[in-house]
Amino acid sequence: MPDTGIERILITEEEIARTVARLGDAITTCYAGIDRELVVIGLLRGSFVFMADLIRVIRLPLVVDFLSVSTYGDGTVSSGELRMTKDLEQSIEDRDVLLVEDIVDTGHTFSKVLGLMQARRPRSLKVCTFLDKPSRRTCEVAIDFCGITIPNEFVCGYGLDFAQRYRNLPYVGVLKTD
Ligand code: 5GP
């Protein structure tokens, strides 16, 4: 069973669907009237499930792209140097860009990625995250579209992993501690 090890469900499939629909509405309203396709960029790998659902509720012409980054050194500490392991396929210069993340925790990853993207001179750059753990923040990031704020717990499912497992769970759960 893929979900062995999950102690309890924190966010149900129904709550996820409601959240994604709300975000889709907000994003559609925000970008209504833009003259070129919105560029929606997902940060791999955690955001891919959320991205797939989100783009289907954004009622605007858009294109998607993906970016992958990893942190040098100890993988459990996300304050180290960032290395881009997969770059975008297209230029974002003078484009309206929406960066999509699975979860903002300390904020280090997102703020560094935002810096990298900003250097490419998009026309606008906004941020959407499925989950937010503000109690862990050590690096401030302005989030334009936020799904669900969660307490300081390590969560899995709906794209989020533990050692690459659990990404396929349709809900978000908390792992057993042992
Ligand atoms: P930050 O740089 O904001 O501390 O880290 C963000 C990244 O850490 C996320 O993209 C995600 O990969 C990982 N992360 C942070 N909190 C969690 C969590 O509760 N569960 C999982 N699966 N990953 C997390």
Side-chain angles (χ1 to χ4, degrees):
M1 289 286 285
D3 60 343
T4 310
I6 294 292
E7 185 182 82
R8 71 196 144 84
I9 295 177
L10 193 66
I11 307 169
T12 63
E13 286 186 66
E14 292 73 22
E15 197 180 345
I16 291 172
R18 279 197 303 274
T19 301
V20 171
R22 172 174 59 77
L23 291 170
D25 285 347
I27 292 165
T28 303
T29 303
C30 175
Y31 290 101
I34 56 169
D35 53 6
R36 231 176 137 187
E37 300 100 342
L38 179 63
V39 183
V40 185
I41 298 176
L43 213 50
L44 293 172
R45 277 172 262 183
S47 72
F48 80 101
V49 178
F50 174 50
M51 267 283 275
D53 284 344
L54 185 68
I55 59 164
R56 286 179 290 173
V57 291
I58 299 175
R59 298 177 304 281
L60 296 167
L62 58 80
V63 293
V64 299
D65 210 335
F66 292 94
L67 193 67
S68 185
V69 294
S70 71
T71 313
Y72 283 116
D74 182 353
T76 60
V77 180
S78 56
S79 55
E81 273 303 300
L82 204 71
R83 183 168 56 105
M84 195 180 289
T85 51
K86 187 214 167 296
D87 202 346
L88 299 175
E89 303 288 328
Q90 64 179 90
S91 164
I92 56 167
E93 187 170 352
D94 205 28
R95 302 298 299 267
D96 293 295
V97 174
L98 178 66
L99 200 53
V100 176
E101 173 71 299
D102 53 352
I103 183 166
V104 180
D105 187 24
T106 64
H108 280 279
T109 308
F110 226 14
S111 78
K112 284 177 188 153
V113 170
L114 275 172
L116 290 173
M117 294 298 101
Q118 204 71 68
R120 298 181 183 189
R121 297 185 300 170
R123 177 159 68 181
S124 70
L125 180 59
K126 290 189 189 292
V127 165
C128 175
T129 185
F130 171 52
L131 299 177
D132 183 18
K133 246 194 249 183
S135 60
R136 294 252 309 154
R137 200 77 90 254
T138 52
C139 187
E140 241 4 272
V141 246
I143 298 171
D144 301 282
F145 306 98
C146 179
I148 302 173
T149 299
I150 62 165
N152 183 14
E153 291 190 281
F154 190 84
V155 294
C156 286
Y158 196 63
L160 289 124
D161 75 309
F162 175 67
Q164 300 306 326
R165 295 176 65 205
Y166 305 106
R167 292 194 199 271
N168 57 324
L169 298 179
Y171 53 81
V172 174
V174 177
L175 286 179
K176 287 176 189 156
T177 45
D178 51 352

